[in-house]
Amino acid sequence: MTTDVNTYPIFSHEARANPQAVYKDMRDNDPIYMGVGPQTGNHIWFFTRYDDVVSVLRDQRFIKDVRKNLPPELAQRYVMEDPDPTFQMINHHLLNMDAPDHTRLRSLVHKAFTPKAVRDLEQRIQGIADDLIAEMKTQSSGDLLDLFAFPLPITVIAEMLGVEKERRDDFRRWTRTILFGTDMQASQLAVMELVQYTNDLIKERREEDRGDILSGLVRAEEDGDTLSHMELISMIFLLLVAGHETTVNLIGNGMLALMQHPDQYDLLKGNFDLMPTAVEEMLRYNGPVETPTTRFASEDIEVSGVTIPQGDIVLPSLLAANRDPAVFENPDTLDITRDPNPHVAFGHGIHYCLGAPLARMEGTIAIRALLDNFPNMQLNTDVDKLEWSQNLLLHGMTAMPVRW
């Protein structure tokens, strides 16, 4: 174990484009590595072996809510980083809660994500994909993210939540400003605009059940329990982010992987029966999420002989776990026939992604539609010129120029 300050440049701009190279170095030499947050100075423990990642994700001693589960003197290190109450309106959601609060909230939200509800969306998702493909056919090149990978999932989740078509670009702008923005005032304004609009949506659903997921969330009940107003606002924010940003990355990263492996591209477009295993392999090979949201050690916890001190941050890398040669043969090779494929792209344990079935369906429909209609799609820039998200949460490109 290395404890030097940021021996591995995981926070660098270069690592954002190719984090796997850094994670491989970590996994080979320091599989449990303590870095230091470049802005906060807090200790951050990275886990890069598959078994350690699964262990951390499963262990409920690694907690989300520092206010409830850490001594005040330790919790204060993190609470003070977000003193503005504005942001609390969107942070009271599943990914920031521990049991039993998490259990309660997930059981209520799950009522709006039944398997039947997801299956019923298939025809509509296909229709959205067909419309986007038809528009792409009027051109010969463009940004695949803007033309297809973004509008498909944002249309799906917006329709599920009952967001008007003309406001979907606003939601995109709000979520990206909140997630990736560096201007605090702009982020605060985005939160306030988001909260104001979602307040209106909730008010409308309280007055009239419109049969959408938001109506279901407003009326969700379990043993007399309901979602509070703050929980509703936070859940809408979470669903918008989780419901489109991750799927944008699944489609974009998946298509990039196929373009970089023309043999696999040709194999898949010649046999769509391979779509289920192909999508799983895309999730494993270059998944949409780099690390899950932040966890903290609620006590001194030993993992594989290393003690993580109480109050320290832990970041189990999903990307690194999915390239661990101890679990995946030839992990750096894209193999769309790989089976079994126990990747952790959707997490593990109680915080396993609630929307995983929907993401799989969207990814399957999207990539099949692209290959079926544009069998010779190619990247329209050098791969090393692609720009990638600069945070450690979502792993995706900011643009993807292609020609077809």
Side-chain angles (χ1 to χ4, degrees), residues 99-111:
D101 295 327
H102 175 274
T103 309
R104 166 190 159 269
L105 203 59
R106 189 174 178 110
S107 68
L108 290 171
V109 175
H110 179 71
K111 290 181 175 294

Side-chain angles (χ1 to χ4, degrees), residues 44-93:
I44 302 176
W45 294 83
F46 290 87
F47 300 81
T48 49
R49 288 184 300 215
Y50 182 95
D51 287 348
D52 291 338
V53 167
V54 169
S55 175
V56 170
L57 294 176
R58 183 186 293 157
D59 191 336
Q60 294 187 44
R61 293 177 300 170
F62 291 110
I63 50 94
K64 298 297 192 82
D65 191 339
V66 296
R67 291 175 174 87
K68 288 189 176 182
N69 296 296
L70 281 182
E73 65 274 14
L74 292 179
Q76 200 66 19
R77 288 190 295 178
Y78 308 108
V79 174
M80 289 302 294
E81 290 172 16
D82 184 20
D84 193 324
T86 305
F87 292 93
Q88 292 305 312
M89 292 298 294
I90 61 170
N91 286 331
H92 205 65
H93 55 68

Side-chain angles (χ1 to χ4, degrees), residues 259-272:
M259 292 176 198
Q260 292 178 304
H261 297 80
D263 60 322
Q264 299 295 291
Y265 195 118
D266 291 342
L267 178 61
L268 184 55
K269 73 182 182 183
N271 183 3
F272 286 134

Side-chain angles (χ1 to χ4, degrees), residues 29 33-34 41 73 107 149 208 212 233 239 250 284 335 340 343:
N29 298 290
Y33 161 68
M34 190 196 78
E73 65 274 14
S107 68
E208 178 188 358
D212 50 31
I233 292 174
L239 292 176
L250 166 56
R284 181 201 72 83
D335 177 6
H343 66 77

Side-chain angles (χ1 to χ4, degrees), residues 13-14 17-18 256 260 379 381-388:
H13 180 82
E14 293 74 20
N18 186 20
L256 177 63
Q260 292 178 304
L379 202 60
T381 186
D382 294 335
V383 68
D384 58 3
K385 292 182 179 178
L386 293 169
E387 288 291 326
W388 293 77

Side-chain angles (χ1 to χ4, degrees), residues 54-335:
V54 169
S55 175
V56 170
L57 294 176
R58 183 186 293 157
D59 191 336
Q60 294 187 44
R61 293 177 300 170
F62 291 110
I63 50 94
K64 298 297 192 82
D65 191 339
V66 296
R67 291 175 174 87
K68 288 189 176 182
N69 296 296
L70 281 182
E73 65 274 14
L74 292 179
Q76 200 66 19
R77 288 190 295 178
Y78 308 108
V79 174
M80 289 302 294
E81 290 172 16
D82 184 20
D84 193 324
T86 305
F87 292 93
Q88 292 305 312
M89 292 298 294
I90 61 170
N91 286 331
H92 205 65
H93 55 68
L94 280 169
L95 295 185
N96 289 335
M97 292 183 178
D98 305 301
D101 295 327
H102 175 274
T103 309
R104 166 190 159 269
L105 203 59
R106 189 174 178 110
S107 68
L108 290 171
V109 175
H110 179 71
K111 290 181 175 294
F113 283 89
T114 63
K116 181 181 184 304
V118 172
R119 287 195 303 271
D120 288 346
L121 291 169
E122 183 171 7
Q123 186 174 352
R124 177 58 186 140
I125 296 171
Q126 186 65 61
I128 296 167
D130 291 343
D131 290 345
L132 294 170
I133 292 291
E135 182 64 26
M136 288 178 65
K137 285 183 175 179
T138 66
Q139 308 171 52
S140 60
S141 64
D143 181 352
L144 185 62
L145 303 189
D146 279 346
L147 294 174
F148 189 84
F150 162 66
L152 188 148
I154 194 66
T155 301
V156 173
I157 195 64
E159 288 185 357
M160 291 170 72
L161 289 169
V163 175
E164 300 97 326
K165 185 175 182 179
E166 59 269 19
R167 300 306 297 268
R168 291 170 195 168
D169 285 341
D170 288 335
F171 269 96
R172 171 72 164 178
R173 174 173 55 83
W174 293 333
T175 56
R176 293 197 73 81
T177 300
I178 294 166
L179 287 173
F180 308 123
T182 56
D183 185 323
M184 179 59 71
Q185 286 188 323
S187 297
Q188 288 174 320
L189 179 60
V191 172
M192 288 188 286
E193 290 177 347
L194 172 66
V195 169
Q196 183 177 7
Y197 180 68
T198 51
N199 276 332
D200 292 339
L201 289 180
I202 292 167
K203 183 175 183 292
E204 291 170 359
R205 296 319 183 278
R206 291 197 190 281
E207 295 172 352
E208 178 188 358
D209 187 335
R210 301 190 180 180
D212 50 31
I213 276 189
L214 182 52
S215 295
L217 291 175
V218 168
R219 288 164 174 77
E221 189 168 351
E222 184 79 26
D223 297 328
D225 201 358
T226 58
L227 293 162
S228 70
H229 189 74
M230 184 181 289
E231 288 169 344
L232 274 170
I233 292 174
S234 295
M235 189 53 59
I236 292 169
F237 172 70
L238 176 61
L239 292 176
L240 281 165
V241 173
H244 84 267
E245 288 288 354
T246 52
T247 307
V248 172
N249 294 348
L250 166 56
I251 297 168
N253 296 359
M255 287 300 296
L256 177 63
L258 289 174
M259 292 176 198
Q260 292 178 304
H261 297 80
D263 60 322
Q264 299 295 291
Y265 195 118
D266 291 342
L267 178 61
L268 184 55
K269 73 182 182 183
N271 183 3
F272 286 134
D273 289 342
L274 293 173
M275 281 302 306
T277 55
V279 169
E280 297 307 311
E281 178 66 349
M282 292 173 201
L283 286 163
R284 181 201 72 83
Y285 182 79
N286 205 14
V289 179
E290 183 166 343
T291 63
T293 52
T294 308
R295 286 167 167 80
F296 307 83
S298 63
E299 58 188 73
D300 291 352
I301 302 172
E302 183 177 310
V303 179
S304 296
V306 177
T307 298
I308 312 301
Q310 182 185 37
D312 278 8
I313 296 171
V314 294
L315 285 181
S317 172
L318 306 181
L319 292 186
N322 287 336
R323 295 283 190 99
D324 188 342
V327 177
F328 302 99
E329 186 177 356
N330 299 320
D332 297 324
T333 298
L334 183 76
D335 177 6

